[in-house]
Amino acid sequence: MTKSIRAKITALGTYVPPRVLTNADLEKMVDTTNEWIMERVGIRERHLVDKGVAASDLAVEAVKNLLASHPFDLQQVDLIVVGTVTPDMMYPSTACLVQHKLGIVNTWGFDVSAGCSGFLFALNTGVKFVESGQYKKVLVIGSDVNSSMTDFTDRAVCIIFGDGAGAVLLEPAEDGEDGVIDHVAQIEGMGGQYLYMPGGGSLNPASHETVEQKMHYIHQDGRNVFKYAVKKMAEMTERILEKNKLTGKDVDCFIAHQANLRIITATADRLGMPMEKVIINIDRYGNTTAGTIPIAMRTAIEEGKLKKGDLVLLAAVGAGFTSGATLLRWAL
Ligand code: UT7
């Protein structure tokens, strides 16, 4: 009988650009207030790139920070999977650009487009390649420059998003180690109508008209996305816990996609999880799409809420609609 291989996260690196946009700044740009944003979404400030900085740049910085805490020879990387919906350009893939900028010579890689579930979908993909025995070092990156597609006159959108990236290294777990235990994931394409960026693709190639009609910006029906996210995040987390005969009480650390504080607290309530086990950093970073989960892993470590051996539940819901939950034993 062949022995089953499990994957574990062996290193983490994150990066947010230095420029900060506060709610006070937004009050000067659109008809909004700090009180409304804090109460309805839970964001105080977010980080934004300067002109000329792209998703691959944030990804590269995240990998450099990963290397600083866990030095190893990048030439050993077998696979790079990048979750992003704000690639530097339509093609080449962000994975190709990251590989080139990092000077990794012999590797494979590709992008995963799953909106706010981008990091989870990329992680689950990378895990399968480690579990198959084919690869021993997989870089999984979530990187998004949301400011590149944000209409800073649309108050329902521009208050939510920020820019940021995170990277983890996946390697085979030792015998008897849990590593990444399980995942559930789903797409429901009927949700495409509620959160999308219509311009610049093959349906609406970029033109004066697409720009005039603001088709190069995020189009969001916030209320419908919110309703779906609350329902689906609860459903996916309950599904993975039930599948593994666990309850919310067994989980040591809950790291959810940071889109709206109310979505996270509603899910934690449903799972009966006390807030000290729930990681919140949306106040500092906003919604960085594929960046949120690794950046929240960093916050969890900094706040002493994530330690070696902890059972961790990850969850995300995003554009598509996409959704997923992953269960893992923290190995750092
Ligand atoms: O991960 C996927 C990414 N997206 C999300 O997860 C977004 C999920 N949705 C949300 O987080 C919330 O729906 C929003 C934060 C986008 C909006 O909050 P809401 O409580 O659902 O507001 P709403 O869209 O129901 O609008 C309520 C009111 C409206 O005014 P009227 O029509 O009642 O007069 C909006 O125009 O709030 C108004 N509004 C604002 N007011 C002040 C919308 N944005 C703002 C704002 N400041 N920034």
Side-chain angles (χ1 to χ4, degrees), residues 122-150:
L123 181 72
N124 296 333
T125 307
V127 163
K128 291 297 153 201
F129 282 100
V130 175
E131 287 179 348
S132 74
Q134 192 167 6
Y135 295 137
K136 289 198 162 46
K137 280 193 168 39
V138 178
L139 270 180
V140 174
I141 302 170
S143 183
D144 271 305
V145 176
N146 288 314
S147 58
S148 66
M149 53 179 186
T150 298

Short mmCIF file of all heavy atoms in Angstrom, two decimals, residues 122-150:
data_model
loop_
_atom_site.label_atom_id
_atom_site.label_comp_id
_atom_site.label_asym_id
_atom_site.label_seq_id
_atom_site.Cartn_x
_atom_site.Cartn_y
_atom_site.Cartn_z
N ALA A 122 -6.01 28.69 -4.66
CA ALA A 122 -4.60 28.47 -5.01
C ALA A 122 -3.96 27.50 -4.01
O ALA A 122 -3.20 26.59 -4.38
CB ALA A 122 -3.85 29.80 -5.04
N LEU A 123 -4.30 27.69 -2.74
CA LEU A 123 -3.74 26.81 -1.70
C LEU A 123 -4.18 25.36 -1.92
O LEU A 123 -3.37 24.43 -1.91
CB LEU A 123 -4.22 27.30 -0.32
CG LEU A 123 -3.73 26.51 0.89
CD1 LEU A 123 -2.25 26.77 1.13
CD2 LEU A 123 -4.52 26.87 2.15
N ASN A 124 -5.48 25.18 -2.16
CA ASN A 124 -5.98 23.82 -2.36
C ASN A 124 -5.35 23.16 -3.58
O ASN A 124 -5.08 21.96 -3.58
CB ASN A 124 -7.51 23.83 -2.52
CG ASN A 124 -8.20 24.32 -1.26
OD1 ASN A 124 -7.67 24.19 -0.16
ND2 ASN A 124 -9.36 24.93 -1.41
N THR A 125 -5.10 23.97 -4.61
CA THR A 125 -4.44 23.45 -5.82
C THR A 125 -3.01 23.02 -5.49
O THR A 125 -2.59 21.91 -5.85
CB THR A 125 -4.43 24.55 -6.91
OG1 THR A 125 -5.76 25.02 -7.10
CG2 THR A 125 -3.89 24.01 -8.22
N GLY A 126 -2.28 23.89 -4.82
CA GLY A 126 -0.90 23.57 -4.46
C GLY A 126 -0.82 22.33 -3.58
O GLY A 126 0.04 21.46 -3.77
N VAL A 127 -1.76 22.23 -2.64
CA VAL A 127 -1.78 21.08 -1.72
C VAL A 127 -1.89 19.77 -2.50
O VAL A 127 -1.21 18.79 -2.21
CB VAL A 127 -2.95 21.23 -0.71
CG1 VAL A 127 -3.27 19.90 -0.02
CG2 VAL A 127 -2.62 22.30 0.33
N LYS A 128 -2.74 19.78 -3.53
CA LYS A 128 -2.95 18.53 -4.29
C LYS A 128 -1.66 18.09 -4.98
O LYS A 128 -1.39 16.89 -5.09
CB LYS A 128 -4.06 18.71 -5.33
CG LYS A 128 -5.43 18.87 -4.72
CD LYS A 128 -5.86 17.63 -3.96
CE LYS A 128 -6.84 17.95 -2.85
NZ LYS A 128 -6.92 16.93 -1.81
N PHE A 129 -0.86 19.05 -5.45
CA PHE A 129 0.39 18.67 -6.11
C PHE A 129 1.41 18.11 -5.12
O PHE A 129 2.20 17.24 -5.47
CB PHE A 129 0.97 19.87 -6.87
CG PHE A 129 0.28 20.12 -8.18
CD1 PHE A 129 -0.68 21.10 -8.30
CD2 PHE A 129 0.58 19.32 -9.28
CE1 PHE A 129 -1.33 21.31 -9.50
CE2 PHE A 129 -0.05 19.52 -10.49
CZ PHE A 129 -1.02 20.52 -10.60
N VAL A 130 1.37 18.59 -3.88
CA VAL A 130 2.27 18.02 -2.86
C VAL A 130 1.75 16.64 -2.47
O VAL A 130 2.52 15.67 -2.39
CB VAL A 130 2.36 18.95 -1.62
CG1 VAL A 130 3.18 18.28 -0.51
CG2 VAL A 130 2.98 20.28 -2.01
N GLU A 131 0.43 16.54 -2.26
CA GLU A 131 -0.14 15.25 -1.86
C GLU A 131 0.07 14.16 -2.91
O GLU A 131 0.17 12.98 -2.59
CB GLU A 131 -1.65 15.41 -1.59
CG GLU A 131 -1.94 16.16 -0.30
CD GLU A 131 -3.44 16.36 -0.05
OE1 GLU A 131 -4.26 16.11 -0.97
OE2 GLU A 131 -3.78 16.77 1.06
N SER A 132 0.13 14.58 -4.16
CA SER A 132 0.32 13.58 -5.23
C SER A 132 1.73 13.00 -5.22
O SER A 132 2.01 12.01 -5.89
CB SER A 132 0.06 14.24 -6.60
OG SER A 132 1.16 15.07 -6.93
N GLY A 133 2.62 13.68 -4.51
CA GLY A 133 4.01 13.24 -4.47
C GLY A 133 4.85 13.82 -5.58
O GLY A 133 6.06 13.61 -5.65
N GLN A 134 4.19 14.59 -6.47
CA GLN A 134 4.92 15.11 -7.63
C GLN A 134 5.86 16.26 -7.26
O GLN A 134 6.95 16.38 -7.80
CB GLN A 134 3.92 15.58 -8.69
CG GLN A 134 4.57 15.88 -10.02
CD GLN A 134 3.54 16.04 -11.13
OE1 GLN A 134 2.34 16.05 -10.90
NE2 GLN A 134 4.02 16.17 -12.35
N TYR A 135 5.42 17.13 -6.35
CA TYR A 135 6.22 18.31 -6.01
C TYR A 135 6.49 18.41 -4.51
O TYR A 135 5.65 18.04 -3.69
CB TYR A 135 5.51 19.58 -6.48
CG TYR A 135 5.39 19.66 -7.98
CD1 TYR A 135 4.21 20.08 -8.58
CD2 TYR A 135 6.47 19.32 -8.80
CE1 TYR A 135 4.09 20.14 -9.96
CE2 TYR A 135 6.36 19.38 -10.18
CZ TYR A 135 5.18 19.79 -10.75
OH TYR A 135 5.06 19.85 -12.11
N LYS A 136 7.65 18.98 -4.20
CA LYS A 136 8.05 19.08 -2.79
C LYS A 136 8.09 20.52 -2.27
O LYS A 136 8.13 20.76 -1.08
CB LYS A 136 9.43 18.45 -2.60
CG LYS A 136 9.42 16.93 -2.75
CD LYS A 136 10.66 16.33 -2.14
CE LYS A 136 10.51 14.84 -1.86
NZ LYS A 136 9.93 14.07 -2.94
N LYS A 137 8.14 21.47 -3.18
CA LYS A 137 8.14 22.88 -2.76
C LYS A 137 7.22 23.69 -3.68
O LYS A 137 7.53 23.87 -4.87
CB LYS A 137 9.56 23.46 -2.80
CG LYS A 137 10.40 23.06 -1.57
CD LYS A 137 11.66 23.87 -1.48
CE LYS A 137 12.39 23.74 -0.16
NZ LYS A 137 12.43 22.45 0.48
N VAL A 138 6.12 24.13 -3.10
CA VAL A 138 5.14 24.89 -3.88
C VAL A 138 4.93 26.25 -3.22
O VAL A 138 4.64 26.32 -2.02
CB VAL A 138 3.79 24.13 -3.96
CG1 VAL A 138 2.76 24.96 -4.72
CG2 VAL A 138 3.98 22.76 -4.61
N LEU A 139 5.09 27.30 -4.01
CA LEU A 139 4.81 28.66 -3.51
C LEU A 139 3.37 28.99 -3.86
O LEU A 139 3.00 28.95 -5.04
CB LEU A 139 5.71 29.68 -4.19
CG LEU A 139 7.06 30.02 -3.58
CD1 LEU A 139 7.77 31.07 -4.45
CD2 LEU A 139 6.94 30.52 -2.14
N VAL A 140 2.58 29.29 -2.85
CA VAL A 140 1.19 29.70 -3.08
C VAL A 140 1.09 31.17 -2.68
O VAL A 140 1.44 31.54 -1.56
CB VAL A 140 0.21 28.86 -2.24
CG1 VAL A 140 -1.20 29.40 -2.38
CG2 VAL A 140 0.28 27.39 -2.65
N ILE A 141 0.62 31.98 -3.62
CA ILE A 141 0.60 33.42 -3.40
C ILE A 141 -0.81 33.96 -3.65
O ILE A 141 -1.49 33.52 -4.58
CB ILE A 141 1.58 34.11 -4.39
CG1 ILE A 141 3.01 33.55 -4.20
CG2 ILE A 141 1.57 35.63 -4.19
CD1 ILE A 141 4.00 33.99 -5.29
N GLY A 142 -1.22 34.90 -2.82
CA GLY A 142 -2.45 35.66 -3.10
C GLY A 142 -2.03 37.11 -3.21
O GLY A 142 -1.39 37.63 -2.28
N SER A 143 -2.34 37.75 -4.32
CA SER A 143 -1.89 39.14 -4.49
C SER A 143 -2.92 39.93 -5.28
O SER A 143 -3.32 39.51 -6.37
CB SER A 143 -0.55 39.17 -5.24
OG SER A 143 -0.09 40.50 -5.34
N ASP A 144 -3.34 41.06 -4.75
CA ASP A 144 -4.29 41.89 -5.49
C ASP A 144 -4.04 43.37 -5.30
O ASP A 144 -3.79 43.83 -4.18
CB ASP A 144 -5.74 41.55 -5.10
CG ASP A 144 -6.28 40.43 -5.98
OD1 ASP A 144 -6.24 40.58 -7.21
OD2 ASP A 144 -6.72 39.39 -5.43
N VAL A 145 -4.11 44.07 -6.42
CA VAL A 145 -4.03 45.53 -6.43
C VAL A 145 -5.44 46.02 -6.77
O VAL A 145 -5.75 46.36 -7.92
CB VAL A 145 -2.98 46.02 -7.44
CG1 VAL A 145 -2.96 47.55 -7.51
CG2 VAL A 145 -1.59 45.51 -7.05
N ASN A 146 -6.30 45.99 -5.76
CA ASN A 146 -7.70 46.35 -6.01
C ASN A 146 -7.87 47.80 -6.44
O ASN A 146 -8.82 48.15 -7.14
CB ASN A 146 -8.54 46.07 -4.76
CG ASN A 146 -8.72 44.58 -4.55
OD1 ASN A 146 -9.04 43.86 -5.48
ND2 ASN A 146 -8.50 44.10 -3.34
N SER A 147 -6.93 48.65 -6.00
CA SER A 147 -7.06 50.07 -6.36
C SER A 147 -6.98 50.27 -7.87
O SER A 147 -7.44 51.29 -8.39
CB SER A 147 -5.97 50.89 -5.66
OG SER A 147 -4.69 50.43 -6.02
N SER A 148 -6.43 49.26 -8.60
CA SER A 148 -6.32 49.40 -10.05
C SER A 148 -7.68 49.29 -10.74
O SER A 148 -7.80 49.63 -11.91
CB SER A 148 -5.38 48.33 -10.62
OG SER A 148 -5.95 47.04 -10.45
N MET A 149 -8.69 48.78 -10.04
CA MET A 149 -10.01 48.67 -10.68
C MET A 149 -11.11 49.27 -9.79
O MET A 149 -12.27 48.91 -9.92
CB MET A 149 -10.31 47.22 -11.05
CG MET A 149 -10.17 46.24 -9.93
SD MET A 149 -10.58 44.58 -10.50
CE MET A 149 -10.48 43.71 -8.94
N THR A 150 -10.70 50.18 -8.91
CA THR A 150 -11.66 50.83 -8.02
C THR A 150 -12.02 52.22 -8.54
O THR A 150 -11.13 53.01 -8.87
CB THR A 150 -11.07 50.95 -6.60
OG1 THR A 150 -10.82 49.65 -6.09
CG2 THR A 150 -12.01 51.68 -5.66
#
